[in-house]
Amino acid sequence: MLNVLLIYWLCIQAEGKARVGVRLLGHLLRGASVRGGVQMEIIEIPLSERPVAVACCPVTGDLLVGCENTLVLFTLRRQNQQSQNQSQQMVQSTWTNSQQRSSQGQIMDSNPNFLDFERSVILHLSQMNPKQVALCGEYVAVQGELEVLVVKLETSSEPKTLEESSDTKKTDHLEDPVDFQVLPIHQELLGDRAKECDIAVSVEKTGLEDSKGQYTLSYVLFRRFTPDFFQGCSVEETQLHSLQLYPLFTGNQSVSLQEPSCVFCFFSLPSAGYLYSLKGGVELLSAYQYPEKVLKAVLTDYLLHVITKSALQCFTVRCAAVAARIEDPYIDSTMKACPPCSMEVCALRIQLFIGLRSMCVYGHHVILLSAADAETTEEPERTTQRRGLELKEHTMLTGIFLAVGIDPATTPALESLLSRPFVSRKWTISSPKPASTAGHGWNLYVVDTVSPLTLYQEMVEYSQRYAETNPQAQSLRHLLSEAHLLLRTSLLQTSEQQRITEGDSSLSPQAGTGGPAEEPAAVRTDCRELEEAFKQNCAQLGDCFSRGSQRECHLALPYYRMSGLSVTELMARNRPLPGSPHAYGPGFLFYLKHYLFEETEQILSQEAADEVIDIFSQSEPSQLVSVCASPSLINISPAKTLQILQHLEDTAGVSVPLTTTMATMMLRLDDLPEYTRLMERHAEMVLVYGFIEEPRMLLHGGDGGQHAHIRPTALTRQLAKSQPGLLVAAVVALHENNKVQLEHADHIFKELDCENCLQVDFWEAMLMASSQETIIQELLFRVASVYIDRLTNTPLETHTNGPHTPVKRRPLKSADDLINSCSHYGALYPWLIVLNPAHTTSSQHQEALYKLQSLLCGPSLSVASVMPLMERLSDQTLWGFSLHLLCATRRGQYDSSIEKMLDRCPQAIIAYANHHLQDNHMVLWWQKLLPELCNRTRVAADNGILLAALKETLVVVAMETSPTEFLELIPDDGAVSYFLPHLLTCSQRHLLA
């Protein structure tokens, strides 16, 4: 149900006592039978002071009553008939952006709710007499004769001491002089600066509920006007009117959210109007200059409606531009755009009436009240009295100037000043004329405003006149921008109406019966029409900016993208007429370059692609190389393109990207000899620099980060066959210059079906070039996994045709190359030479073994990361044993490694000990190795390998220990003749030391 509230004053005089208040009369527009025939309810709110103005919040339904020096806030409450003890706020904001919104609750037919208000806050004002008030959510606006003040009243759960009254802030002013009035200066204070105004506001909390909450008040906006008498302005011409706080909702908000996205403040002088945006920073959006005196103005989403004595006029507004940027802060980008808020406003329509007095707007209806007054007899009398007063004032001031020696007659400026009646005993607005009892012709008009779609179509028709005379005129662009904002406002409103309508239909018991279901369908139809018009308008704006100046030509890109038109359609719109001196505009070329340089899945036909090549060959030949590399132009004619590129080379000279592009065209023509000749013009490293300059010669896609979008070009496939080293070097260079990601490069090599060869070559090359630690560790793990896989699956001697048959192509880097050029590959330990059987396995197996051993000998590979993979390798073979022994040694397990070495390959023990048992591990020579050799030699006395190792060990022990320590190391059952030479050497060395 929808309640329409009629608000009027109640004032009763009886026996010298006055009772004043506000009375609300509510009419139920639908469902009267549910209330048993009762079609109205009356709420009377008593006041202690006489009310001056009243306002209803369009968001919450709260009431704000302005009195002489106070503002009283009444919060809306709803109590259910069956559960009055449980107060529950069930107000849903169904404010639509096309009408003055009223609070609407979710009222069920079987359980109606009643309106009720509670006085919650009183704002005390000093030095300001309210003439008009406005309320919207937390914003409170009050207007005096010459000033406007906007404050924000917020609730806080933290206790805070508030000033009970404004007496402390009030300052006593002397009464005005008898004949002169001191006028305050003009002021505009925005945001926090507004608290510097001389109007003090204090908060008095009076609500019974939410007693724990506190109110905090902050200043938002203050504006004061002063009559400029030197410019011919009188007090009447500076009187403010039409104060309004206007909310605007966007489609991103949920149904239950009642806070608007934007709040605007509008107020007007008879000659000018001012529109401010309050949320997200206070800002003056527009200043309206009226061509004649305005009696009243009303702000709506689409237009600002104003009335003069004889006309209804409409001006454009900038609310949609603000809402669009609040809804999407990144709207001014290469994808989207919106006309700026600072764009000048303009008048759209003027309708003539006679004797207009008042106006209000509801939905798409403008209600006008007019009265044709007859000339009364009192008017000449008042004119005569006013002229007499002006003559008296003129005489008095002339005498003052003559007394100080100034003759006003000799100064035209002073004479003009004295001719104006600006001095009187009281600086007030003269009271209005009393209504005549006869001669009035009161008329009430209800004018339907033109729908936004119709108004847009009229703008389009009118814009065609500008386009015929001057397609680049600023007026044409301004008119299309106004139409854009009009459509954007309509889309904001339609999306909210659709959301609200769908929510109401889902709650309505009649949903599905055919009645309410028709409304969402109509809303969706309007939305589709508006979207089509919006796209058409974006295309028109793109056309304006496409041939505009260089300063704003970039705006053609977002508007063309928002239009949804294809490149072929846009080329047709911008194609110069035959014989026309105009070429393609800079804005269109800017759009076309962005379209071609960004990765896109749209592929142009051969005809369209050839036209693009022709466009750039005529307009910007220097961009031809980049244009030809675009994946959208895969269907271009190679023969025709070669002719254009050859002409470019003749005029601009030879360059690496140009040569590579020409070679690509030769490749498309299957002319391999000419392709080879062109590629041999430059060295491989010079070609790598060319690929860095234009990466799309090698790969297409990659903008979205999905592997499915990455694909190699025909040139990449040819390089994989003929010049794999150049391809690997180029991809590494692209990665190091942030032109391609590691995952994308891997996907390229997988697409080439070379993951067992080129991909590993790429990883090894990356290890030589990269300096990023995270990438290095990832690559080390990858190459170690590949080496282990090759050792596991590669046959030792003969090649088979099984599923794991290795690729016959030799790697780009051998183990020796990696050891000499990459710091992550270490030189093989000397003892590994003993363990590596020479020429007993295949070359590929041997290469993989050497590379894996080199990695384990290097400083970078984490052994713990590859230990789970090493379990796949058996230690039964000597090369497998060497790998496990390397891992154990890297993990510091020297004791067990010595035992395993003596068990499996004692001939390598001395080489192992000489390399690893040094410095801190030197004691293992006599603590571990010597006892082990002694024990094993005792068991196998005829083992020459063990005896030789024992002699070498005794040499080291004799050099590193003292004679006493050496004697302690000799076993009890040892032969003196065997140990005596080493003991003598130890003693001699000790004496020399």
Side-chain angles (χ1 to χ4, degrees):
M1 295 181 187
L2 182 61
N3 293 332
V4 177
L5 301 181
L6 301 180
I7 305 174
Y8 59 93
W9 310 124
L10 176 66
C11 182
I12 300 177
Q13 298 285 347
E15 297 181 358
K17 297 180 181 180
R19 181 167 66 90
V20 295
V22 177
R23 174 167 291 186
L24 288 83
L25 180 63
H27 285 267
L28 303 177
L29 299 185
R30 290 188 297 169
S33 59
V34 179
R35 299 290 301 274
V38 180
Q39 300 185 20
M40 66 179 63
E41 55 180 309
I42 297 177
I43 298 177
E44 185 173 329
I45 302 177
L47 297 172
S48 59
E49 300 181 49
R50 182 183 299 275
V52 177
V54 67
C56 178
C57 176
V59 178
T60 62
D62 298 344
L63 287 180
L64 181 67
V65 180
C67 301
E68 292 295 333
N69 294 108
T70 59
L71 304 178
V72 186
L73 178 64
F74 295 91
T75 56
L76 175 65
R77 299 173 56 196
R78 286 186 180 274
Q79 289 185 342
N80 191 276
Q81 248 183 345
Q82 298 179 357
S83 57
Q84 294 184 1
N85 295 329
Q86 298 178 357
S87 300
Q88 181 182 7
Q89 185 176 0
M90 303 176 63
V91 180
Q92 284 190 344
S93 174
T94 58
W95 173 271
T96 58
N97 291 323
S98 63
Q99 63 184 20
Q100 182 76 25
R101 308 184 184 196
S102 60
S103 300
Q104 177 182 353
Q106 181 182 344
I107 303 175
M108 306 302 293
D109 292 342
S110 60
N111 198 9
N113 297 318
F114 293 97
L115 292 173
D116 192 10
F117 291 89
E118 177 193 3
R119 187 178 66 173
S120 59
V121 176
I122 299 178
L123 301 181
H124 297 272
L125 305 175
S126 66
Q127 305 180 34
M128 187 174 185
N129 296 323
K131 300 298 181 183
Q132 195 171 352
V133 294
L135 176 65
C136 181
E138 298 174 337
Y139 293 92
V140 177
V142 57
Q143 168 197 303
E145 288 184 348
L146 296 177
E147 61 272 337
V148 172
L149 175 65
V150 181
V151 297
K152 189 175 184 181
L153 190 63
E154 300 176 282
T155 58
S156 175
S157 58
E158 299 179 359
K160 185 176 180 180
T161 304
L162 297 174
E163 301 177 10
E164 295 297 332
S165 65
S166 59
D167 294 339
T168 58
K169 292 188 178 181
K170 291 182 179 180
T171 56
D172 296 332
H173 294 271
L174 297 177
E175 293 188 2
D176 299 334
V178 176
D179 291 321
F180 294 95
Q181 173 71 33
V182 179
L183 300 179
I185 62 173
H186 176 85
Q187 278 185 308
E188 182 188 32
L189 304 175
L190 307 180
D192 294 336
R193 289 192 58 207
K195 62 185 178 183
E196 300 175 6
C197 68
D198 55 359
I199 298 177
V201 183
S202 60
V203 181
E204 177 186 353
K205 181 180 177 184
T206 61
L208 298 179
E209 295 184 358
D210 301 330
S211 59
K212 296 182 180 179
Q214 299 292 340
Y215 287 93
T216 58
L217 186 138
S218 57
Y219 288 78
V220 177
L221 168 66
F222 178 75
R223 186 76 186 262
R224 173 182 284 136
F225 298 89
T226 300
D228 191 351
F229 298 109
F230 292 94
Q231 298 297 329
C233 296
S234 63
V235 176
E236 287 85 355
E237 293 174 342
T238 320
Q239 183 184 10
L240 288 167
H241 61 81
S242 303
L243 176 67
Q244 189 176 353
L245 288 178
Y246 195 78
L248 190 62
F249 292 77
T250 60
N252 286 344
Q253 300 178 237
S254 60
V255 177
S256 60
L257 188 59
Q258 294 187 6
E259 183 179 359
S261 299
C262 319
V263 177
F264 303 94
C265 178
F266 175 81
F267 50 86
S268 181
L269 297 171
S271 59
Y274 300 91
L275 177 63
Y276 285 86
S277 175
L278 302 182
K279 294 196 68 173
V282 186
E283 178 187 4
L284 176 62
L285 292 182
S286 305
Y288 296 86
Q289 299 295 328
Y290 307 132
E292 53 183 320
K293 182 179 179 180
V294 167
L295 304 178
K296 189 173 182 180
V298 178
L299 178 69
T300 64
D301 281 344
Y302 302 105
L303 301 169
L304 173 69
H305 300 273
V306 302
I307 58 171
T308 64
K309 291 189 66 176
S310 59
L312 167 66
Q313 301 180 15
C314 300
F315 294 83
T316 56
V317 294
R318 299 287 168 264
C319 300
V322 178
R325 285 172 173 82
I326 291 180
E327 189 176 29
D328 185 1
Y330 304 100
I331 197 170
D332 297 309
S333 63
T334 59
M335 299 298 296
K336 290 170 289 186
C338 182
C341 306
S342 59
M343 187 173 60
E344 293 184 1
V345 296
C346 63
L348 293 183
R349 282 177 170 269
I350 297 179
Q351 293 175 269
L352 300 179
F353 292 88
I354 298 177
L356 289 179
R357 294 295 185 88
S358 183
M359 171 189 61
C360 67
V361 178
Y362 183 85
H364 296 291
H365 308 290
V366 179
I367 298 94
L368 302 172
L369 183 64
S370 68
D373 290 343
E375 183 70 20
T376 60
T377 57
E378 291 84 356
E379 182 65 23
E381 296 178 1
R382 279 203 300 268
T383 303
T384 304
Q385 293 175 0
R386 184 169 63 251
R387 290 176 179 174
L389 181 60
E390 293 174 1
L391 180 60
K392 180 180 178 181
E393 293 172 351
H394 183 277
T395 304
M396 179 181 63
L397 288 179
T398 302
I400 293 174
F401 280 113
L402 290 174
V404 296
I406 300 176
D407 187 4
T410 61
T411 307
L414 287 179
E415 185 66 23
S416 175
L417 172 65
L418 295 178
S419 64
R420 299 190 179 96
F422 64 94
V423 180
S424 63
R425 290 186 175 272
K426 293 295 180 179
W427 175 50
T428 57
I429 306 301
S430 59
S431 59
K433 297 184 298 181
S436 176
T437 58
H440 291 280
W442 292 97
N443 296 293
L444 184 67
Y445 300 96
V446 178
V447 180
D448 288 337
T449 58
V450 180
S451 67
L453 198 56
T454 303
L455 187 58
Y456 163 74
Q457 293 169 353
E458 293 181 2
M459 290 181 172
V460 172
E461 294 177 1
Y462 196 76
S463 66
Q464 293 175 355
R465 303 180 186 177
Y466 288 113
E468 293 174 357
T469 56
N470 188 1
Q472 302 179 19
Q474 186 69 26
S475 300
L476 173 61
R477 191 178 307 168
H478 194 156
L479 183 59
L480 293 176
S481 299
E482 295 289 0
H484 184 90
L485 291 179
L486 181 69
L487 292 174
R488 189 178 286 274
T489 306
S490 304
L491 287 172
L492 285 175
Q493 177 201 4
T494 306
S495 61
E496 185 184 1
Q497 282 182 344
Q498 183 175 357
R499 172 177 59 86
I500 294 173
T501 306
E502 291 176 353
D504 291 344
S505 61
S506 62
L507 295 175
S508 174
Q510 300 177 356
T513 60
E518 297 176 358
E519 296 181 3
V523 172
R524 286 192 294 268
T525 302
D526 293 342
C527 188
R528 284 194 296 267
E529 293 178 354
L530 288 172
E531 288 175 352
E532 290 298 326
F534 185 79
K535 292 180 179 180
Q536 178 187 1
N537 172 261
C538 291
Q540 293 167 341
L541 277 172
D543 293 340
C544 285
F545 290 109
S546 65
R547 291 186 172 89
S549 61
Q550 290 286 348
R551 185 172 60 90
E552 295 180 330
C553 68
H554 64 280
L555 291 175
L557 173 62
Y559 282 114
Y560 272 151
R561 281 179 168 171
M562 293 163 65
S563 69
L565 299 177
S566 64
V567 180
T568 306
E569 292 172 325
L570 292 177
M571 285 193 298
R573 295 176 70 98
N574 287 271
R575 191 176 295 128
L577 296 175
S580 173
H582 301 287
Y584 290 95
F588 173 71
L589 293 176
F590 182 80
Y591 160 79
L592 197 56
K593 283 188 290 186
H594 267 266
Y595 174 82
L596 297 175
F597 295 168
E598 295 180 1
E599 299 299 334
T600 176
E601 296 297 328
Q602 298 182 9
I603 298 178
L604 300 180
S605 63
Q606 180 177 352
E607 181 181 358
D610 290 343
E611 184 178 356
V612 170
I613 295 297
D614 290 336
I615 290 173
F616 281 95
S617 64
Q618 299 172 13
S619 303
E620 295 187 35
S622 60
Q623 299 292 331
L624 276 174
V625 172
S626 299
V627 169
C628 291
S630 174
S632 301
L633 301 184
I634 195 69
N635 294 326
I636 56 175
S637 173
K640 180 179 179 181
T641 306
L642 266 175
Q643 295 178 359
I644 298 175
L645 294 176
Q646 186 64 53
H647 177 72
L648 177 63
E649 186 180 64
D650 295 340
T651 56
V654 179
S655 67
V656 176
L658 181 58
T659 301
T660 310
T661 305
M662 296 174 65
T664 304
M665 295 298 120
M666 288 296 180
L667 197 61
R668 292 185 182 182
L669 293 174
D670 294 329
D671 191 349
L672 291 181
E674 187 64 21
Y675 161 80
T676 304
R677 186 190 69 80
L678 288 172
M679 293 296 289
E680 289 177 352
R681 279 186 178 181
H682 309 282
E684 286 194 352
M685 188 52 62
V686 178
L687 291 174
V688 169
Y689 286 117
F691 292 133
I692 295 175
E693 185 176 346
E694 186 47 72
R696 292 184 299 172
M697 292 182 181
L698 296 180
L699 53 93
H700 287 161
D703 57 325
Q706 297 294 328
H707 293 171
H709 296 163
I710 305 298
R711 56 189 184 277
T713 63
L715 179 61
T716 304
R717 297 185 184 276
Q718 179 61 31
L719 290 178
K721 298 176 183 178
S722 58
Q723 295 175 285
L726 172 60
L727 177 61
V728 170
V731 178
V732 171
L734 292 180
H735 179 274
E736 292 304 299
N737 287 273
N738 299 321
K739 301 291 186 179
V740 66
Q741 299 179 12
L742 183 61
E743 293 79 7
H744 295 165
D746 287 339
H747 189 75
I748 287 294
F749 289 112
K750 290 180 181 179
E751 288 285 325
L752 295 172
D753 296 330
C754 302
E755 54 181 313
N756 288 329
C757 53
L758 275 183
Q759 187 175 23
V760 180
D761 293 334
F762 167 69
W763 291 344
E764 293 172 348
M766 281 291 298
L767 284 174
M768 291 186 291
S770 179
S771 60
Q772 303 179 34
E773 186 62 28
T774 55
I775 293 181
I776 290 174
Q777 291 300 323
E778 174 67 20
L779 293 174
L780 287 172
F781 180 80
R782 290 184 182 184
V783 295
S785 303
V786 171
Y787 299 153
I788 293 173
D789 183 70
R790 288 179 178 178
L791 290 173
T792 304
N793 300 320
T794 303
L796 294 180
E797 295 187 8
T798 60
H799 300 292
T800 64
N801 295 325
H804 300 290
T805 301
V807 180
K808 295 182 179 181
R809 188 189 63 80
R810 294 179 59 84
L812 295 178
K813 296 289 184 181
S814 65
D816 293 336
D817 296 334
L818 294 175
I819 292 172
N820 295 329
S821 59
C822 183
S823 61
H824 305 296
Y825 289 82
L828 297 182
Y829 298 152
W831 54 272
L832 287 173
I833 300 175
V834 182
L835 295 181
N836 289 337
H839 308 295
T840 59
T841 59
S842 65
S843 60
Q844 293 183 4
H845 189 278
Q846 195 78 15
E847 192 71 24
L849 176 63
Y850 288 163
K851 288 182 178 180
L852 182 57
Q853 288 176 340
S854 178
L855 273 184
L856 292 173
C857 294
S860 303
L861 179 65
S862 174
V863 178
S865 64
V866 298
M867 280 305 297
L869 301 177
M870 293 295 295
E871 296 177 357
R872 298 167 51 190
L873 299 176
S874 173
D875 60 353
Q876 299 300 317
T877 61
L878 201 57
W879 59 266
F881 169 72
S882 68
L883 294 173
H884 284 279
L885 193 64
L886 270 174
C887 293
T889 303
R890 284 283 305 273
R891 299 173 71 180
Q893 300 173 358
Y894 294 105
D895 291 354
S896 61
S897 298
I898 291 173
E899 296 177 2
K900 293 178 180 178
M901 180 72 76
L902 291 174
D903 292 338
R904 295 289 300 274
C905 189
Q907 62 268 27
I909 188 62
I910 296 302
Y912 179 88
N914 283 330
H915 189 82
H916 295 291
L917 303 186
Q918 302 294 329
D919 300 330
N920 296 334
H921 304 292
M922 181 65 72
V923 295
L924 293 178
W925 281 91
W926 52 86
Q927 290 183 358
K928 181 64 180 179
L929 183 58
L930 181 60
E932 285 287 338
L933 289 173
C934 290
N935 294 334
R936 294 172 185 268
T937 306
R938 186 183 298 110
V939 176
D942 57 345
N943 193 328
I945 296 177
L946 292 177
L947 290 175
L950 180 59
K951 290 181 181 180
E952 293 291 337
T953 304
L954 288 174
V955 171
V956 175
V957 172
M959 295 297 294
E960 297 296 334
T961 60
S962 64
T964 305
E965 295 172 339
F966 188 83
L967 285 173
E968 294 178 353
L969 296 174
I970 298 176
D972 295 339
D973 58 347
V976 176
S977 60
Y978 187 84
F979 292 101
L980 187 59
H982 300 287
L983 178 61
L984 181 61
T985 301
C986 181
S987 300
Q988 292 175 352
R989 181 191 60 78
H990 185 69
L991 290 175
L992 291 176

